Amino acid sequence: MRALCLISSLGLMAASAVQPVMAEGISRDEILEQMKSMRPPDLVVLEKRDVGGEYTLGIFAIKRDPANPELRKFKLWQEYPDNLLIPSESVDCSVEEPVRVTRDKEALYIRKLNPGGPVRATAREDHLVWWAACHPELAGQDPGSLTDKARELGYSTLLIESQEVLRLPGG
């Protein structure tokens, strides 16, 4: 019995001696640098802003849909000060009904856009992503400054923006 207590005590002492080293492990700065070094080579940075640390929004792996040339599929790079998200999304680049489709754990969001029209602060990211996916040569430009370009490309700039939310099962 005494041997069992001694082994248990030694085990607890060893675990408590190792735990601080394991807790330190890799620093937050090292993790952030690793995230930055993992950026895909075709990543186009659309925006950087301060959110209590630097937030970077980028787009990569843009592909046209073979069945519908107006559709684009792509991946976003959402690099937060303490997290990295890489969602897959799509847009419809049609002149008649430009749309961004995005999702989270709870719902699918279908956002009808008005390229070249007024850009509300709440829809700025939608417009940045849509322009980058549909017209990559304009990626990262302020969407509020693209009115003339939108008209040149055939967009009316007078469409009504809206959002449809489709709840996912269990969300």
Side-chain angles (χ1 to χ4, degrees):
M1 178 76 164
R2 183 174 258 190
L4 185 59
C5 286
L6 181 60
I7 290 171
S8 294
S9 295
L10 288 173
L12 287 173
M13 286 174 42
S16 64
V18 171
Q19 190 155 350
V21 173
M22 291 173 67
E24 290 174 21
I26 299 174
S27 75
R28 183 174 179 269
D29 290 338
E30 289 173 315
I31 291 171
L32 293 174
E33 286 307 311
Q34 286 178 1
M35 283 175 20
K36 289 177 184 176
S37 70
M38 293 184 329
R39 288 178 177 171
D42 63 335
L43 178 73
V44 176
V45 174
L46 303 178
E47 180 176 55
K48 288 185 179 200
R49 66 178 187 259
D50 184 16
V51 293
E54 187 173 78
Y55 167 73
T56 302
L57 173 65
I59 189 170
F60 67 103
I62 302 169
K63 300 204 179 343
R64 286 181 186 257
D65 185 298
N68 182 344
E70 297 296 331
L71 297 180
R72 310 282 190 283
K73 295 179 182 183
F74 54 89
K75 294 191 179 287
L76 284 184
W77 183 272
Q78 297 172 314
E79 185 180 302
Y80 294 87
D82 60 351
N83 199 7
L84 173 64
L85 300 175
I86 306 175
S88 296
E89 294 191 1
S90 61
V91 292
D92 186 329
C93 303
S94 72
V95 174
E96 299 82 24
E97 197 169 13
V99 172
R100 177 185 181 195
V101 179
T102 187
R103 67 177 288 169
D104 60 21
K105 292 178 183 177
E106 298 174 4
L108 186 69
Y109 304 90
I110 302 165
R111 297 181 179 136
K112 294 181 181 181
L113 303 175
N114 180 28
V119 178
R120 297 180 327 270
T122 56
R124 179 175 168 73
E125 182 179 297
D126 292 325
H127 285 268
L128 279 168
V129 169
W130 184 89
W131 278 103
C134 294
H135 303 282
E137 70 281 5
L138 301 171
Q141 291 190 31
D142 176 12
S145 70
L146 296 172
T147 301
D148 291 338
K149 188 63 177 177
R151 286 188 185 123
E152 181 184 311
L153 293 167
Y155 297 96
S156 78
T157 71
L158 301 173
L159 299 174
I160 296 173
E161 293 196 343
S162 64
Q163 174 176 273
E164 185 175 351
V165 180
L166 304 173
R167 295 283 167 208
L168 297 173

